[in-house]
Amino acid sequence: MPKRHHRAIATAAAIALLWGCRAEPEPAELIIENVHAIDAAHAIRVDQRVAVRGERILSVSPMADPAPAAGPRYDAGGGYLIPGLWDMHVHFLYDEALTEPMPDLFLRHGITSVRDTGGELERLAALRARLRQDPAPEPRIFISGPLLDGEFVVYDGEDPGRPKLGTAVPDVEAARRSIAALEAGGADFIKIYELVHPEIFEALVAEARARGLPVAAHVPLMMTADDAGAQVDSMEHLRNIELACAGGWASLLETRRSKIRSFAQGRGYDLRRQLHAEQRPQALADYDEVRCDAVLDALTSTIQVPTLRLNTLLTTRPFERPDWAPALAALPEDVQQRWRALLGRNRPAAAAAAGLRAFAEWSQFLVGRLRDRSVPVGAGTDTPIGLAIPGYSLHTELELLVQAGLTPLEALHAATVQPARFFGLEGELGLIEPGMLADLVVLEANPLDDIANTRRIRRVLSGGQWAFTADDPALPDSKP
Ligand SMILES: [Zn+2]
């Protein structure tokens, strides 16, 4: 989050605080009544009344208390209120056909904030500016701009099947320049990718730190997860942790370094794929728990965004769920056709399938280890990559996090408090407390009983405005 945003928010919070001290209670603009409030700090508070004024929560109080000053009321009838959810890993520009529909799809699925973890900065900034001008509610969009890659770039745009998400950072001077340009262009954080050399990685991190920009990263293949990961704020997909958790991690690292150094021509994508194809099976077979615990203990200040949904696509097969087809039907027709065709023919060869299955099992196992070693976890999906329906797929991720060992409340924490923390916004977003931004979701049923109940969305409030209403299509701003 750029510092200027911090200042604006701090000023608004100070004003709210001053107002809060006045003797007369502020009139609410909306009161949500008869609701059980659930968040990661309080677990459940039953029978509450939540008043909202402007874009912020004014008060949270038991229904038994006297009602605050008048305002329009919404009777939630014993529903459950959770903070607006985040998807920590999306790509607005990965599929052009989905760029426009994505903001509304997020809102209707209760996702009120997203982190775009890779795409062309100017286009993302323009998309965000246009949505902000539109009076209709939009999700809060935080952008990194391109994947900052090495001399060779994994997503270089050369292959028509893969868009240009990456950019080359060949030397230390380029690293400094690119971070300055990203900040000037509106980036909220940066994203470092896998073919970056260690000295460039250090320069990127140092420059981002100097400018107050949080850092998300894949583990560069010339480094290890405990080394690179400890220096950044979030890591994605659990990728390359297996390489650090192997008993023979040091020789695997040496081999990767020499192969990357001697790679003279070809595609970055192929280089990365080849290294993973060679080393991942070896590393998984050579898992060393003592070594891995040491790696995880280096990561207790780094949020892991496992994207279990993506990592386990082959084994969990979310497209076989009964609610997948109706969710897919909300996407543009040509996307539906392309995805159905993929499902029909894209069966991996037996050897590749075995590798994917092993990585899926490893990913689920590792999330349990993260929890045991107190490594923070964030919820993200990689939408729309790997058949991820925007918005819908975050609920699949929450279920998978619970299956891997998190409690439902911890899964909610991963999709609310943790992402806010990444941006230093834990005082603004993620909990249901007076002064916080009023991003809220009304559910039919208790997500602490069954995390799948986060799918049962009745209404979504974004910055104090109804952004989606399933129970009152007559509301002018509803998007049924
Ligand atoms: Zn991604």
Side-chain angles (χ1 to χ4, degrees):
M1 192 76 191
K3 286 181 219 97
R4 57 187 176 276
H5 290 204
H6 276 311
R7 268 199 298 274
I9 285 167
T11 311
I15 292 169
L17 203 68
L18 281 174
W19 282 353
C21 293
R22 295 191 336 186
E24 294 224 336
E26 282 296 306
E29 282 163 7
L30 171 67
I31 300 171
I32 302 171
E33 293 190 316
N34 290 314
V35 81
H36 309 302
I38 292 175
D39 72 21
H42 307 87
I44 186 161
R45 287 164 286 175
V46 299
D47 298 327
Q48 300 288 303
R49 176 189 285 121
V50 176
V52 172
R53 184 167 199 280
E55 59 176 7
R56 288 181 189 269
I57 296 169
L58 186 65
S59 63
V60 184
S61 56
M63 284 298 290
D65 287 2
R73 280 164 158 71
Y74 168 65
D75 187 343
Y80 296 79
L81 192 69
I82 60 170
L85 301 168
W86 287 67
D87 189 331
M88 284 191 84
H89 196 127
V90 311
H91 296 282
F92 276 99
L93 305 180
Y94 190 82
D95 186 333
E96 303 272 336
L98 285 170
T99 305
E100 293 299 319
M102 271 166 85
D104 274 358
L105 288 166
F106 287 130
L107 288 176
R108 67 184 295 159
H109 289 287
I111 286 97
T112 50
S113 299
V114 295
R115 224 178 40 146
D116 187 296
T117 46
E120 211 180 303
L121 185 64
E122 303 83 76
R123 288 183 59 206
L124 288 167
L127 171 72
R128 181 168 64 179
R130 186 163 51 72
L131 289 169
R132 278 180 184 166
Q133 273 173 10
D134 190 316
E138 76 273 352
R140 300 176 200 279
I141 300 173
F142 298 82
I143 58 181
S144 69
L147 312 174
L148 303 171
D149 218 339
E151 183 187 345
F152 292 91
V153 174
V154 173
Y155 286 97
D156 60 6
E158 290 294 304
D159 181 337
R162 284 181 288 273
K164 183 180 184 326
L165 299 178
T167 190
V169 187
D171 56 53
V172 167
E173 201 27 60
R176 294 203 189 97
R177 273 201 315 272
S178 56
I179 302 294
L182 289 172
E183 191 192 27
D188 304 297
F189 67 111
I190 66 160
K191 167 104 176 262
I192 307 178
Y193 219 57
E194 288 182 53
L195 295 178
V196 156
H197 289 226
E199 66 276 14
I200 313 286
F201 177 87
E202 315 272 344
L204 288 167
V205 171
E207 192 64 25
R209 290 269 173 265
R211 294 172 181 278
L213 294 171
V215 181
H218 280 211
V219 178
L221 285 161
M222 294 181 84
M223 301 176 78
T224 56
D226 47 324
D227 173 15
Q231 301 180 52
V232 302
D233 303 298
S234 82
M235 283 163 55
E236 311 303 307
H237 313 301
L238 308 176
R239 274 183 94 107
N240 303 350
I241 297 181
E242 77 283 4
L243 304 177
C245 282
W249 65 270
S251 83
L252 290 173
L253 176 64
E254 249 342 287
T255 305
R256 292 199 300 278
R257 285 183 166 168
S258 72
K259 288 199 172 175
I260 294 172
R261 280 203 199 94
S262 62
F263 191 77
Q265 61 175 7
R267 281 183 181 166
Y269 190 89
D270 295 328
L271 171 61
R272 178 179 77 154
R273 186 174 52 190
Q274 195 192 335
L275 290 169
H276 279 135
E278 279 170 21
Q279 294 208 337
R280 186 178 280 166
Q282 286 182 50
L284 292 178
D286 187 23
Y287 171 69
D288 178 334
E289 183 139 299
V290 174
R291 163 68 189 163
C292 199
D293 285 352
V295 170
L296 299 184
D297 290 349
L299 299 176
T300 51
S301 299
T302 308
I303 301 168
Q304 298 299 319
V305 183
T307 63
L308 278 179
R309 185 212 66 78
L310 179 74
N311 297 24
T312 67
L313 189 60
L314 189 76
T315 50
T316 52
R317 305 174 70 81
F319 40 85
E320 289 176 353
R321 291 179 54 100
D323 60 359
W324 200 78
L328 182 68
L331 305 191
E333 187 59 45
D334 71 310
V335 177
Q336 294 185 41
Q337 280 174 15
R338 274 189 276 126
W339 287 17
R340 287 210 182 88
L342 270 177
L343 280 175
R345 65 160 187 265
N346 221 22
R347 306 217 185 276
L356 290 171
R357 196 164 290 121
F359 190 61
E361 282 166 14
W362 157 259
S363 297
Q364 283 169 310
F365 163 75
L366 191 60
V367 168
R369 297 299 299 154
L370 297 178
R371 180 177 188 269
D372 292 346
R373 308 301 293 186
S374 303
V375 178
V377 172
T381 61
D382 219 3
T383 290
I385 298 174
L387 306 173
I389 298 173
Y392 169 92
S393 57
L394 193 269
H395 300 278
T396 307
E397 183 69 16
L398 293 177
E399 282 179 48
L400 290 170
L401 288 173
V402 169
Q403 282 169 26
L406 271 61
T407 65
L409 194 63
E410 287 167 347
L412 286 177
H413 184 266
T416 53
V417 173
Q418 208 61 272
R421 240 192 73 208
F422 177 84
F423 290 107
L425 293 175
E426 59 270 46
E428 300 289 316
L429 287 165
L431 297 175
I432 304 176
E433 279 182 354
M436 291 248 179
L437 290 162
D439 290 5
L440 299 164
V441 183
V442 182
L443 302 174
E444 295 282 343
N446 188 346
L448 302 183
D449 290 344
D450 180 356
I451 194 65
N453 287 336
T454 59
R455 295 174 187 271
R456 298 173 64 185
I457 293 171
R458 206 188 282 162
R459 288 197 176 203
V460 179
L461 198 71
S462 169
Q465 270 186 284
W466 289 123
F468 171 70
T469 60
D471 58 354
D472 186 3
L475 273 186
D477 57 357
S478 84
K479 290 167 181 159

